[in-house]
Amino acid sequence: MSDRAQAVVALGGGHGLHASLTSLRLLLDDLTVDELTAVVTVADNGGSSGRLRGEFNVLPPGDLRMALAALCGDDEWGDTWARVLQHRFEGDGEMRGHVVGNLLIVGLWELLGDHVDALDWVGRLLGARGRVLPMAATPMDITAEVRGLIADDPDALTVVRGQVEVATTGGVITSIALDPAVPDVSPAVISAIDDADWALLGPGSWFTSVLPHLLVPQLRQALVRTDARLVVVLNLAEQDGETGGFGPADHLAVLAEHAPDLVIHTVLADRASVGAGLAELAETVTALGARLVVDDVAADDGSHRHDPTRLAAAYARIFADS
């Protein structure tokens, strides 16, 4: 591997991408990484993001906001702006539940008329250590085929529509799709993937934050053709509604079903979370032609969250060993 610092693009959304970006930002400090870009899912239809999306017909800003907050520095400026960006209004009026960062992003979209330009301006205001880009330039909905929602016919498939509805379904998700199926993608996103040394997919809500990137034709084609090495970061636990009953190998199997042409370089899993499923996971990873890295990346507080420092160290080792 080259001794130079690496260009990294991280794809995902929500808390999972926030954790990954927080870790990668630490690697900017020690010059392991010199260029960092987040490509963020834009299918949320709930909460403040959903309300703004419905009222202004814009991309849901919430996951973009969280990514920007993760890239804020650890100094007073960065910490203050991260807290401002994430502040949620209280009270009993119409503003209750809205988030300052969401309003800021939507305001700049209206003012500047360009999603990427506006996000770059927010990043400059925050002093963000990296760039945040939307997965697509048009709002989209996630649909899923779900088994087990009809009591009299448990094998019947039901179509569930909407990110919130898919994430909280009581059935078993068998597949997902996007509407529109072929959304517009910013050239900046494709350039970031083309120019990257590493592309990271996950962790995060598997069906609503991670897999959607592979369903956008331009994104998937870019990930297939890029020279960047693809790292899949597995979740620490199953997620009720989306991946109930899933083990680590199941997450990879679903990913392979949705994108069989994707070449995976490395799969990163937490040692304690894998547990007795290690042999099955190793077999699945080998079948995909990838290498398995098992490391201690979970926080010690039992929260099923990745520890930023441990995850950063694991990323650094992966980048150095390849």
Side-chain angles (χ1 to χ4, degrees):
M1 187 182 115
S2 170
D3 291 333
R4 68 175 177 80
Q6 302 292 285
V8 178
V9 58
L11 302 96
H15 293 288
L17 181 60
H18 184 280
S20 189
L21 293 175
T22 301
S23 300
L24 290 166
R25 179 170 53 78
L26 299 177
L27 299 184
L28 289 167
D29 295 334
D30 66 12
L31 303 182
T32 301
V33 173
D34 69 344
E35 188 173 340
L36 176 57
T37 304
V39 178
V40 184
T41 311
V42 285
D44 191 5
N45 66 333
S48 172
S49 283
R51 291 162 61 190
L52 291 169
R53 171 181 173 174
E55 183 172 350
F56 295 99
N57 192 31
V58 295
L59 298 177
D63 284 3
L64 296 161
R65 179 202 81 241
M66 289 186 65
L68 285 162
L71 294 177
C72 288
D74 292 324
D75 56 1
E76 182 181 13
W77 180 274
D79 178 67
T80 299
W81 274 110
R83 289 188 291 112
V84 169
L85 207 66
Q86 299 281 55
H87 177 71
R88 190 176 299 272
F89 289 105
E90 299 180 357
D92 299 318
E94 293 183 1
M95 291 296 294
R96 178 180 174 84
H98 273 308
V99 186
V100 171
N102 290 352
L103 300 174
L104 175 63
I105 291 170
V106 172
L108 278 168
W109 282 342
E110 281 204 336
L111 181 65
L112 301 178
D114 182 272
H115 292 111
V116 171
D117 192 26
L119 290 168
D120 286 344
W121 273 101
V122 177
R124 286 195 287 272
L125 172 66
L126 305 177
R129 303 287 306 280
R131 195 179 192 192
V132 173
L133 301 171
M135 177 180 74
T138 51
M140 61 182 60
D141 283 315
I142 296 174
T143 64
E145 289 191 327
V146 181
R147 180 181 293 112
L149 296 181
I150 301 175
D152 295 338
D153 190 357
D155 291 327
L157 294 177
T158 302
V159 175
V160 176
R161 184 181 185 89
Q163 184 270 334
V164 172
E165 290 76 12
V166 171
T168 58
T169 181
V172 177
I173 300 171
T174 62
S175 66
I176 61 168
L178 297 179
D179 182 17
V182 188
D184 293 332
V185 177
S186 167
V189 173
I190 305 303
S191 295
I193 295 173
D194 287 344
D195 296 341
D197 297 296
W198 295 90
L200 308 183
L201 189 62
S205 300
W206 214 244
F207 285 101
T208 56
S209 290
V210 177
L211 293 183
H213 291 81
L214 304 178
L215 302 182
V216 177
Q218 289 187 62
L219 265 184
R220 179 168 164 175
Q221 291 163 12
L223 287 168
V224 168
R225 71 167 180 262
T226 183
D227 290 331
R229 300 174 179 92
L230 177 63
V231 180
V232 175
V233 186
L234 295 178
N235 291 338
L236 302 177
E238 62 187 67
Q239 181 179 347
D240 291 341
E242 287 203 26
T243 54
F246 276 40
D250 298 316
H251 286 76
L252 284 179
V254 169
L255 188 150
E257 289 173 5
H258 282 80
D261 52 348
L262 195 66
V263 177
I264 301 172
H265 180 275
T266 299
V267 175
L268 173 61
D270 176 64
R271 194 182 316 277
S273 300
V274 171
L278 179 58
E280 181 185 8
L281 176 60
E283 182 178 349
T284 302
V285 171
T286 299
L288 293 173
R291 68 162 181 161
L292 175 63
V293 172
V294 178
D295 211 329
D296 297 313
V297 294
D300 288 330
D301 57 6
S303 63
H304 297 307
R305 297 284 181 91
H306 288 82
D307 178 86
T309 303
R310 291 177 175 177
L311 186 56
Y315 284 155
R317 285 189 286 270
I318 289 171
F319 298 163
D321 291 344
S322 299

